[in-house]
Amino acid sequence: MTDQMIYAGFYRLDITPKHGGIPLEGLGASLKRRASVIRDRLYANIVALGNGPEPEAVLMTFDWINVKNGHRDLFRQVISEKTGIPEGKLLMGGTHTHSGPDIYSDCPEIETYETYLCTILPDGVKRAVADMLPATLSYGHMPAGHEGAWLNFCKHYKMAPIEKKGCWTEADLVDVGDNYGSKYSSDEEHWFYARHEEEADHELQVMKLSREDADDILLVNFQAHATIMSHGRNELGMFRTEMSSDFPGVTCRMVEELLPNTHCVYYQGAAGNLNPSTRIFEEGIYGLTYANRYPEAYSFVLSSYVKKICMSKLVPSESNEVRLLKHIKIADADHSMDYRLPEAKEVWELFQEKGGQTPEVKELLKKYEFNSPYQCEAIISKAKKPATLEVEMNALRIGDVGFVTAPCELFNTTQLFVKAHSPFPMTFVKAYSCGSNSYMPSSNTCKDSYERNCARTKIGTAEEMADKYVEMLQELKGIKGIAAPLSLECWDNEWPFTYTDHERSIARAIVTDGKGNFYFAHAERDDSFGRSTLIETSGGGVEQGETPEDAVIREVREELGIEAELIGKIGLVRDYYNLIHRRNLNHYFLCRVKSFGEKHLTEEEVNDYHLSTLKLTYEEAVNEYEKCADSRLGRLIRNRELPVLMQAKRMLDGEE
């Protein structure tokens, strides 16, 4: 712990529109709905951070869908003029509520609202800065939910046939369909399963800034579209028209009730393709049976996980540095669909003329092979964009926590990549911040999806941004010389693929003693995978309620008898065991030996796997992986783990 101190200040500014009937965002915008009533007050939560009374960064989070480029520039200019804080230090974003004001509308009510905000925002920032006091930082995280009852899910998937009929019942597939995408064919001879393009990031993160003479400040990061209100219906079956902060705002309120003397701020993660799993409440999985989709049910459970982290999962930060880096990326715009502009205009004009998807509109959509009129609208909109777009990227160090902002709807894969390769123990990814460049889908996203059709930048930009974020975080951490971070997908070419019916999250460790030696598990097995002698990293399944970090320390202790400490995360490797129809999500960590003790092996590990410990130099370990690749399972393990070992070596060389 250094002598440097973190200073933190907070102010909550009410930004609820003063006039009624204002247009609603999200689904409200497409249906041209206006707010009938204000259900929840809307706020701008302002957090000022620095290493003294002068802020290094001011984080402003609005109960809006996002903060568009025009508002970002306007608000920065006004606030900077009134406070003297440089514009670049003002980071503002939205919680992504789809029941807030339609900030993209050019109606008089929105213009009046903008003028009103320009008069109150500078005072809100001044109050947050004036509130800055010395603070102690701690942080923690855990999964939100559990298998079968996660609080979010990935809405994108691909379908593939299941050859083994009957592995699920028809009822199972129908029930799962709404939340997890599994479907079945009406043809009883062809069953299908959902092979997700991206796994969902279920991690809930918390940063706590404890202040002796003032309320604590709690920063919460989770990722799920705030659409519980906008996609819900009232007692008459009509889409709701209430203005609401949705579950982000309600969660803050509930956390503050659970943890008195605390200010809670919700930061929306990369939720571009992640939705809230509201159906779990309809089934009563958590003991809640809300007939209508109101955010209180969802927030009740989410806030209970926040409290659990605060009560038992927080660890103190060893660093108190607060530092901000900014990068403006010039990205190529997506003009790949401009050739379809005449057809898109014809469909969109007819849709506008008819006021909906009439039979004539549907016939024209079918003729030109468009998914919906809104795909046509997106093509028209993108054709008007310049050849390049500016994408503002920010990376902030808050002690031992990394924090990045993105002016777009990032997808889950980008967030997982950044978090997996960040040099910080925990990293917040804050999307919908400092501008709006629409969706930023990953390259593997289906080309016909709504999000990819709406993307303003060319495919591949998300991956370029992910690499840049990691580079910026490494600079903030003071790490140099580390090669490109590790993210792999390894296919099983040893056994034929039929179907995948389950997924396993695994934590694994490259363990070093700091003297040039590495420690591995050595196994001799004879089972359905065949007879084999293997070298493998120590590791195992992440148990319910565990984080991968918790799991890897436990597994190393049990299998190797080593008490270890984490150096950092090496990366994420996805691989497949086709023989048992399983997909593995392998979280790899670099660990250092603290002490040696007793192993705690299971009966299976002793009698069936004959597990023992190998102590090898780097060169010896590489040779051992090659030697054990004489079996089918050995080749799968080698292909997965040799790149990890090489990356660990690069990390250790970078430390030196």
Side-chain angles (χ1 to χ4, degrees):
M1 194 75 70
T2 67
D3 294 334
Q4 204 172 35
M5 291 290 295
I6 293 177
Y7 279 68
F10 174 84
Y11 187 72
R12 177 167 289 155
L13 182 68
D14 192 329
I15 59 170
T16 310
K18 287 184 172 295
H19 37 272
I22 198 166
L24 286 175
E25 186 49 89
L27 189 59
S30 62
L31 297 179
K32 294 182 170 58
R33 294 181 300 163
R34 289 177 175 262
S36 60
V37 66
I38 296 172
R39 183 180 187 272
D40 307 309
R41 306 296 295 180
L42 307 185
Y43 296 99
N45 287 311
I46 307 171
V47 178
L49 295 166
N51 284 128
E54 294 297 323
E56 170 70 6
V58 178
L59 311 180
M60 308 173 64
T61 303
F62 295 67
D63 284 326
W64 286 1
I65 195 164
N66 55 38
V67 174
K68 67 178 185 179
N69 295 357
H71 284 148
R72 174 200 63 195
D73 298 339
L74 173 64
F75 295 158
R76 277 178 169 170
Q77 179 183 355
V78 171
I79 294 169
S80 182
E81 288 176 353
K82 297 290 180 65
T83 66
I85 299 172
E87 292 185 19
K89 293 187 176 184
L90 300 169
L91 310 183
M92 53 192 71
T95 60
H96 208 48
T97 175
H98 282 49
S99 296
D102 179 7
I103 58 173
Y104 292 91
S105 173
D106 57 2
C107 71
E109 294 93 334
I110 292 295
E111 292 181 7
T112 302
Y113 184 46
E114 291 172 352
T115 303
Y116 167 64
L117 291 175
C118 286
T119 65
I120 64 173
L121 285 172
D123 184 63
V125 172
K126 286 181 181 178
R127 289 173 180 266
V129 173
D131 187 56
M132 291 178 70
L133 293 169
T136 301
L137 173 66
S138 56
Y139 58 92
H141 53 106
M142 69 180 297
H146 54 81
E147 193 64 45
W150 297 115
L151 293 191
N152 61 358
F153 71 98
C154 182
K155 61 183 178 178
H156 290 154
Y157 53 87
K158 294 177 180 177
M159 308 311 297
I162 293 178
E163 293 185 2
K164 182 181 178 183
K165 183 178 176 181
C167 65
W168 283 333
T169 67
E170 178 178 323
D172 289 334
L173 292 167
V174 174
D175 286 345
V176 170
D178 220 19
N179 262 342
Y180 296 96
S182 307
K183 298 182 183 296
Y184 67 97
S185 169
S186 57
D187 179 354
E188 293 185 358
E189 296 303 315
H190 297 89
W191 289 68
F192 293 82
Y193 78 100
R195 180 174 180 176
H196 292 276
E197 294 184 358
E198 301 180 14
E199 69 275 19
D201 183 358
H202 305 300
E203 186 178 56
L204 170 66
Q205 301 171 311
V206 171
M207 258 193 290
K208 184 177 182 181
L209 292 154
S210 303
R211 306 185 298 171
E212 287 187 8
D213 301 319
D215 290 348
D216 297 335
I217 303 171
L218 209 62
L219 312 184
V220 175
N221 188 224
F222 190 61
Q223 43 284 331
H225 257 70
T227 53
I228 296 177
M229 281 297 298
S230 63
H231 287 188
R233 297 175 184 265
N234 60 23
E235 290 75 8
L236 299 177
M238 305 289 290
F239 280 109
R240 296 199 180 102
T241 55
E242 302 104 309
M243 182 170 289
S244 170
S245 59
D246 211 290
F247 78 83
V250 176
T251 298
C252 290
R253 188 171 70 235
M254 288 189 169
V255 168
E256 291 170 357
E257 292 171 357
L258 290 170
L259 303 170
N261 304 315
T262 299
H263 299 301
C264 181
V265 185
Y266 182 94
Y267 293 102
Q268 185 65 263
N273 58 343
L274 297 181
N275 278 355
S277 302
T278 55
R279 195 172 61 85
I280 58 179
F281 304 114
E282 296 167 17
E283 294 178 346
I285 292 176
Y286 285 103
L288 300 169
T289 55
Y290 284 72
N292 294 320
R293 293 163 57 101
Y294 286 113
E296 279 74 12
Y298 190 83
S299 295
F300 175 80
V301 180
L302 187 59
S303 61
S304 69
Y305 278 102
V306 173
K307 181 179 179 180
K308 186 173 183 180
I309 293 173
C310 290
M311 294 295 101
S312 61
K313 299 286 185 179
L314 294 179
V315 296
S317 174
E318 296 183 3
S319 168
N320 286 325
E321 182 181 2
V322 178
R323 187 156 66 98
L324 175 66
L325 288 179
K326 186 179 296 290
H327 173 73
I328 303 298
K329 176 178 176 58
I330 306 301
D332 292 331
D334 179 17
H335 286 281
S336 60
M337 298 294 284
D338 284 6
Y339 73 97
R340 302 201 67 184
L341 189 58
E343 300 167 349
K345 285 183 175 178
E346 184 179 348
V347 173
W348 183 248
E349 288 170 1
L350 182 63
F351 174 71
Q352 295 286 87
E353 177 188 332
K354 299 296 182 181
Q357 290 202 45
T358 62
E360 298 95 321
V361 174
K362 291 180 179 178
E363 184 64 30
L364 202 57
L365 285 169
K366 184 177 180 181
K367 174 183 176 181
Y368 292 136
E369 297 182 344
F370 287 123
N371 295 330
S372 74
Y374 298 107
Q375 180 185 9
C376 301
E377 181 191 25
I379 292 171
I380 296 168
S381 176
K382 290 200 292 185
K384 300 175 183 177
K385 300 297 178 184
T388 59
L389 298 171
E390 287 191 356
V391 180
E392 179 180 322
M393 303 169 63
N394 294 286
L396 176 65
R397 175 174 188 164
I398 310 173
D400 287 344
V401 180
F403 191 109
V404 301
T405 73
C408 52
E409 292 206 42
L410 284 181
F411 273 36
N412 193 47
T413 293
T414 307
Q415 173 166 295
L416 286 169
F417 182 93
V418 172
K419 290 167 68 172
H421 301 105
S422 169
F424 291 93
M426 192 173 81
T427 299
F428 274 36
V429 176
K430 173 67 179 81
Y432 316 100
S433 291
C434 302
S436 174
N437 287 286
S438 189
Y439 291 96
M440 194 72 72
S442 307
S443 295
N444 66 339
T445 304
C446 176
K447 67 178 181 179
D448 294 323
S449 67
Y450 166 76
E451 292 82 1
R452 186 154 176 178
N453 286 327
C454 292
R456 295 178 184 172
T457 55
K458 70 173 185 179
I459 295 302
T461 303
E463 286 76 11
E464 294 172 0
M465 290 176 65
D467 287 339
K468 185 62 181 180
Y469 281 129
V470 173
E471 179 185 320
M472 294 168 77
L473 290 166
Q474 288 178 346
E475 182 177 345
L476 287 172
K477 186 70 171 176
I479 296 176
K480 298 180 180 179
I482 293 183
L486 184 69
S487 179
L488 294 176
E489 185 149 23
C490 300
W491 302 99
D492 182 351
N493 296 318
E494 301 296 330
W495 283 273
F497 174 80
T498 53
Y499 63 92
T500 302
D501 60 10
H502 65 296
E503 189 172 81
R504 190 182 190 209
S505 182
I506 302 170
R508 298 186 177 277
I510 298 289
V511 183
T512 179
D513 59 10
K515 301 175 183 178
N517 300 309
F518 296 86
Y519 296 82
F520 301 89
H522 182 265
E524 296 180 4
R525 50 191 289 179
D526 187 3
D527 49 27
S528 58
F529 285 94
R531 185 188 297 273
S532 55
T533 299
L534 303 168
I535 175 177
E536 192 170 16
T537 53
S538 175
V542 179
E543 298 177 355
Q544 185 173 321
E546 272 189 326
T547 64
E549 289 85 351
D550 294 335
V552 77
I553 295 298
R554 174 182 54 77
E555 289 288 345
V556 169
R557 182 187 303 121
E558 291 173 353
E559 294 184 352
L560 302 179
I562 291 175
E563 194 66 40
E565 62 180 356
L566 291 177
I567 298 175
K569 190 163 186 179
I570 301 171
L572 183 69
V573 180
R574 307 164 185 84
D575 72 334
Y576 297 82
Y577 287 169
N578 291 343
L579 185 66
I580 56 175
H581 316 297
R582 192 175 83 193
R583 184 190 191 207
N584 304 309
L585 303 179
N586 300 280
H587 301 267
Y588 279 96
F589 296 89
L590 181 57
C591 297
R592 182 181 289 112
V593 176
K594 291 170 62 179
S595 62
F596 294 90
E598 292 185 7
K599 300 178 184 180
H600 300 279
L601 299 176
T602 65
E603 186 176 333
E604 181 183 40
E605 289 170 337
V606 173
N607 298 329
D608 296 343
Y609 298 161
H610 309 287
L611 219 61
S612 60
T613 301
L614 286 176
K615 177 182 176 182
L616 303 169
T617 65
Y618 174 78
E619 292 76 14
E620 289 170 341
V622 171
N623 291 336
E624 190 68 21
Y625 273 109
E626 294 294 352
K627 187 175 76 173
C628 292
D630 59 351
S631 65
R632 300 165 86 179
L633 182 58
R635 286 190 288 274
L636 291 182
I637 294 173
R638 177 200 61 186
N639 294 344
R640 182 185 73 222
E641 300 211 325
L642 263 187
V644 177
L645 178 61
M646 294 174 183
Q647 179 72 359
K649 180 70 162 53
R650 286 191 287 267
M651 290 176 67
L652 290 170
D653 291 344
E655 268 196 342
E656 297 171 3

